[in-house]
Amino acid sequence: MDVPHPFDEAVATVKALAPAVRSESVPVDDCLGRILATEAVARIDVPPFDRAMMDGFALRVDGELEEGITFSVTGTLAAGDAPTGSPPAGSAVRIMTGAPMPADTNAVARFEWCEESTSSQHGTTAASASVRLLRSVRAGESVQPRGQDGGAGTVVLGHGVRLAGAHLSLLRTYGIAHLSVAKRPTCSIIVTGSELCRDTEALLAPGQIYGANDAYLSGALTTDGIAVTECSYVEDSRDAIRTALVKAVASSDFVILTGGVSAGDYDYVPRVIADLGGQIAVRRVLMRPGSPLVAATVEGAVVFALSGNPAAGFVQFETLVRPVLRQAMGWHDEPFPASGRLLHTVKQKPVRHTRILRGAARIEGGVVVVDTEMAQAAGQISSFASANCLVRLDEPHVEAGTVLPLRFLDGALSSR
């Protein structure tokens, strides 16, 4: 029997199996949730011209203009208009927020800083003939210079960023139409177990239970942007598992199996992987729950065989498999990237294994605290409904107040 890997050693070993990140060019509007494979570089200056930041009057100011000075008004500019030339000396242009500044003007006197006189009526709007300053105006007042937010050729976002809606808005502002992003890997799911019933509307036969592992795995993969090529249920048969695995490795970058991975009479998965010439990198891990785990390569695909126990498989996927899948997308993810303060003392039997507990984390007084007083048995999955993190324990006895490594499951914390 292969020697089991300590948890950290297993993490390093499975990460080494991840294929190199591949990239493709994608229209920016289709990049939500994708990972930048290269830097995104601005195509234009932002803003692309000097623009008014307030409604008012565009003026030429050398240093500072004192209050009381009067200007004639020679025209109006709205956002989207193009200036036609320089206003005459001693004149002003009525201007709206976002409009380009006329040539040879460099300040905006806000409407509330001015007293207007009108000469004619056009419909319901009076045209200003002149305007008098009610307060002094400095050069640059209420004007955003061209390129202040960023110039053409500057790096807008670095590689490795997972793109959210705000990022896409930013990129479009800089005139970026296409992005080089990491290709999304493909993954097949194979759920093994003759006792499993896939149809939850069907009545269970004696000895059967409803299958559930694929629901979580499919949801997690889809959330991360990984295409699920196929999801199949197979009985505990060496031939059936072999047929399903041969098909899966031919069509997917990754394959995740659940069940049949331990050392029982009907645990065929490790033997099938070996039959197919698979290179097994990990056979067992010193972790609880989830010690039986196989990580291998078969015909160029990365294969993970997880426990069929939903709670153990969930922990294995989150801490060992998901970071590898994300790595293949150019997304850096560590098994336990966060930390929190333990609310209650934990006492366990001494073992060599790294224990991974379910926890409920929240913010109290500006500090992340975590409660692990919930069902932790490998056969109990109901507590996952109230858990929002996993907690790593490397010692059997941990006192309340100890800061421990966390992995958040839903990315959200609540405050009491």
Side-chain angles (χ1 to χ4, degrees), residues 53-407:
M53 298 304 292
M54 300 289 290
D55 297 332
F57 295 91
L59 306 167
R60 175 66 191 179
V61 178
D62 294 320
E64 184 174 0
L65 291 175
E66 299 296 332
E67 63 180 271
I69 299 175
T70 299
F71 297 87
S72 60
V73 179
T74 60
T76 300
L77 278 174
D81 289 345
T84 57
S86 303
S91 67
V93 175
R94 189 179 182 89
I95 196 166
M96 305 300 127
T97 302
M101 295 291 291
D104 298 323
T105 64
N106 63 351
V108 174
R110 306 177 191 182
F111 283 153
E112 59 268 30
W113 296 355
C114 300
E115 180 181 68
E116 302 177 60
S117 62
T118 58
S119 60
S120 61
Q121 190 81 18
H122 299 283
T124 58
T125 303
S128 298
S130 63
V131 61
R132 186 171 70 89
L133 297 182
L134 299 179
R135 55 164 288 177
S136 61
V137 177
R138 291 180 177 273
E141 174 64 45
S142 299
V143 175
Q144 185 179 22
R146 174 176 177 168
Q148 184 189 55
D149 203 22
T154 60
V155 175
V156 178
L157 292 173
H159 75 277
V161 174
R162 190 179 188 218
L163 296 166
H167 296 128
L168 302 189
S169 177
L170 176 69
L171 294 165
R172 289 182 64 177
T173 299
Y174 282 92
I176 299 172
H178 289 80
L179 295 171
S180 178
V181 295
K183 279 190 173 182
R184 289 172 163 167
T186 55
C187 184
S188 289
I189 300 170
I190 302 172
V191 180
T192 74
S194 298
E195 79 280 14
L196 299 177
C197 176
R198 189 172 190 176
D199 182 3
T200 52
E201 293 186 352
L203 294 176
L204 292 174
Q208 280 193 319
I209 60 174
Y210 291 117
N213 291 341
D214 57 309
Y216 168 72
L217 291 172
S218 294
L221 294 170
T222 302
T223 296
D224 284 357
I226 297 171
V228 179
T229 308
E230 184 179 10
C231 179
S232 58
Y233 274 54
V234 298
E235 63 185 3
D236 288 318
S237 155
R238 196 163 181 164
D239 288 341
I241 294 170
R242 179 190 179 100
T243 299
L245 185 54
V246 167
K247 181 181 178 182
V249 299
S251 62
S252 303
D253 301 307
F254 291 92
V255 180
I256 300 176
L257 299 98
T258 68
V261 74
S262 191
D265 292 346
Y266 296 94
D267 290 323
Y268 295 119
V269 171
R271 283 173 274 179
V272 169
I273 291 174
D275 290 345
L276 295 176
Q279 301 297 310
I280 296 178
V282 175
R283 180 64 183 82
R284 287 186 297 147
V285 182
L286 290 173
M287 63 185 290
R288 286 188 179 177
S291 181
L293 176 144
V294 173
T297 54
V298 180
E299 298 294 333
V302 180
V303 177
F304 293 103
L306 311 182
S307 171
N309 181 302
F314 178 96
V315 170
Q316 291 171 325
F317 175 79
E318 279 292 334
T319 60
L320 288 170
V321 178
R322 201 170 201 174
V324 177
L325 294 168
R326 288 176 170 178
Q327 181 177 318
M329 301 168 66
W331 178 356
H332 180 73
D333 180 31
E334 294 296 330
F336 293 94
S339 62
R341 195 177 304 280
L342 190 63
L343 275 175
H344 308 287
T345 297
V346 175
K347 293 183 179 180
Q348 305 272 0
K349 293 180 180 179
V351 291
R352 293 187 297 160
H353 300 64
T354 294
R355 283 190 169 93
I356 299 173
L357 305 183
R358 292 153 243 182
R362 60 180 182 267
I363 298 174
E364 287 187 357
V367 176
V368 177
V369 296
V370 59
D371 183 358
T372 61
E373 292 197 331
M374 59 179 65
Q376 298 290 348
Q380 294 178 275
I381 64 172
S382 57
S383 57
F384 279 112
S386 56
N388 65 358
C389 68
L390 297 177
V391 184
R392 174 175 175 167
L393 291 182
D394 291 294
E395 299 293 337
H397 184 174
V398 183
E399 292 290 341
T402 303
V403 175
L404 295 174
L406 303 184
R407 179 178 183 85

Side-chain angles (χ1 to χ4, degrees), residues 7-34:
F7 180 77
D8 289 327
E9 183 180 293
V11 169
T13 302
V14 297
K15 278 193 169 186
L17 300 179
V21 178
R22 297 169 294 169
S23 62
E24 60 183 343
S25 179
V26 176
V28 69
D29 289 344
D30 296 330
C31 286
L32 186 66
R34 303 296 292 268

